[in-house]
Amino acid sequence: MRDEQDRPVQLRSVYGSRLWQFPGGNLDAPDEDPLQTARREAVEETCLELGLGTPTLLLTHFLHAGPSLPLNKVGFIFDGGRLSADQLGQIRLDPAEHDMWAVHDLAAWQELMAPRDFARLDAIERARRGEGPSYLITHA
């Protein structure tokens, strides 16, 4: 998701190192697919319905297991769309998951994020513009 100036909107996690991230999470039901999961998580985490219609799949992210992640993980990142100032004002965070949301350009996000996390955001933005990978591999 992004604002009307195409700047990424992200949420700050209350867990661990307090990562900046998009809404997201794990499948909750055997018949739920990745797009349904993305839509459900967006509502749960922001109170906004995002990616209506058929949103673009921007990135498939493969994350290798590591000390804090016992299994490999695959994530699908869909374009949540451009949010108006009114929609941004309607964001209501789940305090059990996120304590803040913010809008910044890529240069500002790069200063706020760990290099691995910014690499994902940069790949998403390049894919959205048709310039970058649609598949990213990182290590935990």
Side-chain angles (χ1 to χ4, degrees):
M1 59 187 186
R2 58 199 185 281
D3 73 354
E4 293 176 310
Q5 288 78 45
D6 279 334
R7 298 175 301 182
V9 178
Q10 294 197 95
L11 316 177
R12 187 173 69 182
S13 174
V14 298
Y15 303 112
S17 60
R18 302 174 61 84
L19 301 173
W20 286 99
Q21 57 193 200
F22 294 115
N26 297 317
L27 298 170
D28 276 359
D31 61 341
E32 189 173 64
D33 65 47
L35 179 55
Q36 290 169 326
T37 300
R39 288 182 172 142
R40 176 183 50 76
E41 289 286 344
V43 170
E44 289 175 6
E45 296 180 9
T46 67
C47 293
L48 298 177
E49 291 188 35
L50 302 174
L52 301 177
T54 306
T56 302
L57 174 63
L58 295 174
L59 187 69
T60 301
H61 181 200
F62 180 83
L63 180 61
H64 282 278
S68 62
L69 184 66
L71 299 172
N72 293 332
K73 188 173 183 176
V74 176
F76 300 93
I77 300 169
F78 296 92
D79 189 345
R82 184 177 287 158
L83 303 180
S84 67
D86 184 53
Q87 288 172 303
L88 290 171
Q90 294 176 31
I91 292 175
R92 299 294 176 263
L93 300 177
D94 176 352
E97 294 195 49
H98 299 98
D99 65 355
M100 172 184 241
W101 64 269
V103 178
H104 296 293
D105 62 24
L106 284 181
W109 280 123
Q110 188 169 20
E111 294 296 319
L112 292 169
M113 300 174 76
R116 183 193 75 193
D117 300 320
F118 179 76
R120 181 180 63 196
L121 177 61
D122 187 52
I124 291 165
E125 289 301 302
R126 286 186 291 122
R128 189 178 59 74
R129 293 188 309 263
E131 301 169 4
S134 56
Y135 182 64
L136 178 69
I137 299 173
T138 59
H139 296 271

